[in-house]
Amino acid sequence: MSTFSVCDDVRLEVGNRFTIIGFYSKSIALPALPTTLPKLAFFAQFDSPSLAGHDLVVRLINPSGGLIFESPRTGLPVPVEDSPFPSEYRTTTIVFQVAPLALNERGAYTVQYELSDWPPYKVQFFVALQPAISAPGVSQPVQ
């Protein structure tokens, strides 16, 4: 895998470009838990075009090991053979979204990509509480 990102949304643009909105990277700081996000999107880009033709299941697992989301088993499309790019520059991009998404615990959440005939590939992102912001103190004049 060359790229994994957690964000608010991912949009496919003209020319097969992606717009990533609300980029969290691999960590999310929340003001309180539990909380429900309107949507969370996951962007993964694999360095291999050889994922094509395999069946894929994606799972989202909470820190306690509970299943939050599981996609239906879906076949990945076979890329067009007349690509202008050499095979070492081709990638497979997988985007999925969970809307709404309830996050109930602090810790490492696991995203598992399971392809037919391959061992599951796992990546993690961390959910934490934002540090409390203390109100600025009133300074006393120096005498």
Side-chain angles (χ1 to χ4, degrees), residues 131-139:
I133 300 173
S134 58
V138 177
S139 61

Side-chain angles (χ1 to χ4, degrees), residues 53-101:
H54 288 275
D55 288 339
L56 171 71
V57 174
V58 179
R59 293 180 185 90
L60 178 58
I61 302 163
N62 68 21
S64 299
L67 183 65
I68 296 174
F69 169 83
E70 181 174 76
S71 73
R73 185 167 295 279
T74 306
L76 294 175
V78 176
V80 177
E81 287 300 318
D82 64 350
S83 172
F85 304 107
S87 62
E88 65 268 21
Y89 293 97
R90 295 183 210 165
T91 59
T92 299
T93 302
I94 299 170
V95 175
F96 77 96
Q97 302 172 355
V98 180
L101 176 60

